[in-house]
Amino acid sequence: MRIGSILENQNIEKRIAITPEIVKKYTSLGFELCLSENYGSHLGIEDKQYKDMGVNILKDEKEVLKSSDIIVQLGMLSDDKTSIIKENQILIGVLNPYNNKEKLDNLAKKKINLFSLELLPRITRAQSMDILSSQANLAGYKAVIESFANFEKAIPMMMTAAGTIPAAKVLVVGAGVAGLQAIATAKRMGAIVFATDVRMASKEQVESLGGKFLTVEGSENLETEGGYAKETSEDFKKKQEELLSETLKKIDIVICTAL
């Protein structure tokens, strides 16, 4: 059985679905692999590296799609690419079913097997396939790196003979997977970190990473049984706005990981 993948739309996606490390896993399970030419060159992964591992490299992307039993992508393929996929082929990726409903319905009518990874249940058995948590983790880290790179002052406190530079103060809004990673990264780089979340269970997690948790007066635990946040009341929103308004007066950097 053959697994194939073509280059993503470079205007919106620089990641790739199959890295050399993933090739080893697939080949050890008995799969053949087929990739389009220059598949990972923008990330410094040359075609030769794939070829040396037994991967077939084809110039024609359409041929990759036609010859593969399983197609693995990060984002949804364009219309001209999906029209090539045949009955009984398998398409795996982040298919964004809420925005691509019509397109996915048409593929399903062609008896194409679709697996949208962001819909996988976030349970223990599926942890190794949890693309939401893994990418949120990276997003929290990258948010801190990018914001600190644009901040025009030192991040940690610096004490010198010429005087003292205070540590930067960072506010992280939302203490989920991305938020907790942002807190940990900012703290490691020497910042003073504050965080807020509607779920009171986050307080212990924030404080364990060295952050100061901002609690809305009279708040209740707005967390579902599945660990997600509930819709907040208008009274809570008003109190939260007042708390953030006062806090923002002394904050240098705000990282929002929750909408």
Side-chain angles (χ1 to χ4, degrees), residues 113-133:
N113 302 297
L114 304 167
F115 294 88
S116 194
L117 296 179
E118 73 270 42
L119 297 183
L120 276 167
R122 299 173 77 182
I123 58 177
T124 303
R125 285 184 299 164
Q127 279 185 341
S128 62
M129 297 183 287
D130 186 355
I131 64 166
L132 297 179
S133 292

Side-chain angles (χ1 to χ4, degrees), residues 16-28 33 35 39-41 43-55:
I16 55 178
I18 299 177
T19 63
E21 290 77 15
I22 296 297
V23 170
K24 295 176 184 177
K25 292 184 179 181
Y26 287 154
T27 53
S28 68
L33 279 95
L35 302 175
Y39 181 76
S41 59
L43 298 176
I45 307 171
E46 300 301 327
D47 286 347
K48 184 179 183 302
Q49 191 172 345
Y50 284 114
K51 289 179 180 178
D52 290 344
M53 301 178 76
V55 178

Side-chain angles (χ1 to χ4, degrees), residues 15 122 130-143 176-182 185 257:
R15 295 173 298 174
R122 299 173 77 182
D130 186 355
I131 64 166
L132 297 179
S133 292
S134 65
Q135 296 308 293
N137 207 37
L138 289 170
Y141 165 78
K142 191 65 174 177
V177 175
L180 292 174
Q181 181 58 247
T185 303
T257 64

